[in-house]
Amino acid sequence: MTYWIVPIQEDMWDVILSEGIYGYKEDISNYIKNGDYLVIYVSKYYAKKYGGKLVGVVKAISDWFKDETPLYPEEKIRNKGIFIYRIKVEPMVIGVCDFKLILDQIVFIEDKSQVAKYLRNAPANMKRPIPESDGKIIEQCLKEERGK
């Protein structure tokens, strides 16, 4: 199993869940493939509820496709596709995990004083997959927080 961290804007999360589609502004099909797992991280910019938190793990269930139809809130406001490189996904584990709770357990963030550099762009972690062990820790955190 290959896990990738992908940061999103908070208002994209509901659309990813309801439509089952993750989109990005650039073609990242060389990295994320059908069958891979995407760990969804909500960036802090403009976030009201989930900023700086992990909200789910979704599985890619299609190949990438290009679609310029406005789907996400920012696209609908501009009436123009922005995140036009898309892949179908299905939720595996949904919850809310505060990154700070697991920071000392995960290994993909090598420099704990520079967390932000591992959480920008897509795929994050400097375009490297995260270890499966980190993916499992994140899934467990999401499950535990869901039960609270």
Side-chain angles (χ1 to χ4, degrees):
M1 288 190 273
T2 305
Y3 286 83
W4 300 91
I5 292 269
V6 292
I8 63 165
Q9 295 167 358
E10 186 173 76
D11 61 4
M12 293 175 76
W13 181 229
D14 288 338
V15 178
I16 291 169
L17 285 176
S18 64
E19 301 296 325
I21 296 174
Y22 167 76
Y24 194 61
K25 59 187 180 243
E26 298 166 17
D27 182 356
I28 53 175
S29 60
N30 289 344
Y31 301 100
I32 299 168
K33 307 284 185 205
N34 189 351
D36 287 354
Y37 291 85
L38 285 66
V39 176
I40 309 292
Y41 169 78
V42 176
S43 64
K44 293 179 181 177
Y45 300 107
Y46 309 113
K48 294 183 176 93
K49 189 174 178 183
Y50 300 122
K53 296 192 171 50
L54 300 157
V55 293
V57 176
V58 299
K59 182 178 183 180
I61 57 168
S62 76
D63 291 323
W64 288 88
F65 58 95
K66 193 172 178 181
D67 183 353
E68 299 191 10
T69 308
L71 179 66
Y72 301 100
E74 184 180 348
E75 294 176 325
K76 289 186 174 183
I77 289 168
R78 296 182 185 194
N79 197 28
K80 177 179 186 277
I82 300 165
F83 308 100
I84 60 172
Y85 297 97
R86 299 176 180 175
I87 194 166
K88 293 182 180 178
V89 296
E90 67 179 12
M92 302 310 289
V93 184
I94 304 302
V96 178
C97 173
D98 189 333
F99 216 87
K100 292 182 223 106
L101 297 176
I102 57 170
L103 193 55
D104 58 341
Q105 298 171 53
I106 54 177
V107 296
F108 83 89
I109 296 181
E110 295 145 4
D111 182 352
K112 307 292 189 200
S113 68
Q114 296 281 318
V115 173
K117 79 176 184 182
Y118 298 91
L119 299 173
R120 63 172 72 114
N121 302 318
N125 193 30
M126 293 164 272
K127 302 204 180 303
R128 301 175 303 188
I130 66 169
E132 189 173 330
S133 58
D134 284 357
K136 297 296 182 193
I137 289 167
I138 291 166
E139 287 178 356
Q140 190 58 42
C141 180
L142 290 166
K143 288 176 185 171
E144 287 171 7
E145 291 303 303
R146 182 176 58 200
K148 290 183 178 175

